[in-house]
Amino acid sequence: MKKLTAIILSVLMVLSVGGLVVYVFHQKTVNGGEAPVIAFASDVLEVPTTATEEDLLQGVTATDAEDGDVTLRFGQYGEGDIRCL
């Protein structure tokens, strides 16, 4: 019985690792593999606490190897959501 349990657990582990490898490969090919490079006009950002999203994004650029300049995509996903490109 112990041998059968060990075999079943080994098969499940191999299938899990295989599934993870397939998932990572799929995500890399679907998403282009590289994240956009975000650059800032200066090293220090000084803004008041009442700064708007537009104020915070001033001088920020984003470029992607596949799509080129993707700076205009900042903020297109909804109010206050600048995490997504």
Side-chain angles (χ1 to χ4, degrees):
M1 188 65 164
K2 283 184 176 183
K3 207 173 212 181
L4 179 61
T5 303
I7 291 172
I8 290 173
L9 289 176
S10 297
V11 169
L12 287 175
M13 186 175 73
V14 168
L15 289 175
S16 296
V17 169
L20 178 64
V21 168
V22 169
Y23 172 77
V24 169
F25 177 76
H26 176 71
Q27 289 299 315
K28 291 267 186 194
T29 56
V30 167
N31 295 332
E34 295 289 327
V37 175
I38 299 175
F40 301 88
S42 67
D43 291 336
V44 178
L45 177 65
E46 292 183 26
V47 291
T49 56
T50 58
T52 65
E53 186 174 318
E54 186 176 315
D55 296 335
L56 294 172
L57 292 177
Q58 194 134 37
V60 177
T61 58
T63 54
D64 185 279
E66 185 176 326
D67 299 323
D69 186 7
V70 293
T71 303
L72 296 177
R73 294 186 187 179
F74 278 124
Q76 82 178 30
Y77 293 95
E79 183 66 31
D81 188 5
I82 59 172
R83 294 167 290 161
C84 302
L85 289 179

